[in-house]
């Protein structure tokens, strides 16, 4: 009888211990799954931020510049969006380009040479390419740090800012 009680007691302890181990493994799996989901959501949010924000920034700059023109130039061998604007009889250019993993911008008097180090860093961006479709229409492609690409067609406004 004492042996039977000891076995029953032993089985109860074994069952409780096994149930506890199953619970611990389940909790660890849920935590690992949650961490993986968080990592993926965070990566998607970063990609969307880099792509959408950079395109929105460039689009707003083109809209601000008015009818004076939008064209493609080169800064240290890379594409640059050149936006021209006349202010008080003088012509100024805003150059937007990618350099050292960032979208950069610099405003200069027309004809001033621009180098990659001249601009102010706006935001992280892996790449940037442009194609002049018509005299006032440019296709912009931006590449984020995960090598995802997004593009937009930009047209200079007709009528001034």
């Amino acid at each position: 009888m004492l042996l039977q009680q000891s076995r029953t007691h032993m089985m109860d302890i074994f069952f409780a211990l096994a149930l506890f181990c199953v619970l611990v493994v389940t909790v660890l799996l849920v935590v690992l799954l949650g961490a993986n989901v968080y990592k993926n959501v965070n990566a998607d949010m970063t990609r969307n931020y880099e792509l959408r924000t950079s395109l929105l920034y460039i689009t707003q700059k083109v809209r601000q510049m008015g009818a004076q023109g939008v064209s493609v130039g080169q800064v240290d061998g890379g594409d640059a969006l050149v936006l021209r604007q006349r202010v008080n009889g003088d012509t100024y250019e805003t150059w937007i380009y990618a350099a050292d993993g960032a979208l950069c911008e610099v405003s200069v008097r027309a004809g001033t040479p621009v180098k990659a180090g001249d601009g102010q860093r706006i935001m992280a961006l892996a790449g940037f390419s442009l194609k002049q479709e018509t005299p006032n229409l440019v296709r912009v492609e931006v590449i984020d740090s995960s090598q995802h690409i997004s593009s937009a067609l930009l047209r200079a406004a007709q009528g001034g800012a």
Side-chain angles (χ1 to χ4, degrees):
M1 179 97 139
L2 192 57
L3 188 59
Q4 178 126 9
Q5 283 179 344
S6 179
R7 279 190 185 164
T8 304
H9 185 63
M10 211 49 162
M11 287 300 258
D12 289 344
I13 291 174
F14 178 73
F15 179 74
L17 189 58
L19 188 61
F20 178 73
C21 289
V22 167
L23 179 66
V24 167
V25 168
T26 303
V27 167
L28 286 174
L29 288 175
V30 168
V31 168
L32 289 174
L33 180 66
N36 193 35
V37 168
Y38 175 78
K39 179 179 142 190
N40 291 338
V41 167
N42 194 33
D44 287 345
M45 286 175 49
T46 300
R47 182 181 72 238
N48 287 334
Y49 171 78
E50 288 177 356
L51 291 175
R52 290 181 180 164
T53 305
S54 59
L55 279 177
L56 181 62
Y57 180 83
I58 295 165
T59 301
Q60 288 303 322
K61 281 301 207 176
V62 170
R63 288 180 181 163
Q64 287 176 359
M65 298 311 285
Q68 283 77 29
V70 54
S71 62
V72 176
Q74 294 285 312
V75 172
D76 292 346
D79 289 344
L81 186 64
V82 183
L83 308 170
R84 285 181 193 78
Q85 185 176 32
R86 286 191 60 80
V87 177
N88 297 329
D90 291 325
T91 302
Y92 293 93
E93 296 174 337
T94 299
W95 291 65
I96 301 173
Y97 56 94
D100 298 325
L103 184 67
C104 299
E105 175 184 339
V106 64
S107 293
V108 296
R109 188 177 294 257
T112 304
V114 175
K115 296 179 186 156
D118 295 342
Q120 178 180 354
R121 293 174 60 94
I122 304 300
M123 63 178 297
L125 193 65
F128 181 74
S129 68
L130 302 165
K131 181 180 178 194
Q132 187 88 41
E133 301 284 339
T134 66
N136 266 356
L137 183 67
V138 174
R139 178 176 304 278
V140 178
E141 284 189 350
V142 293
I143 305 167
D144 71 357
S145 56
S146 301
Q147 301 305 307
H148 291 93
I149 299 172
S150 188
S151 65
L153 279 173
L154 303 177
R155 180 185 311 271
Q158 300 299 315

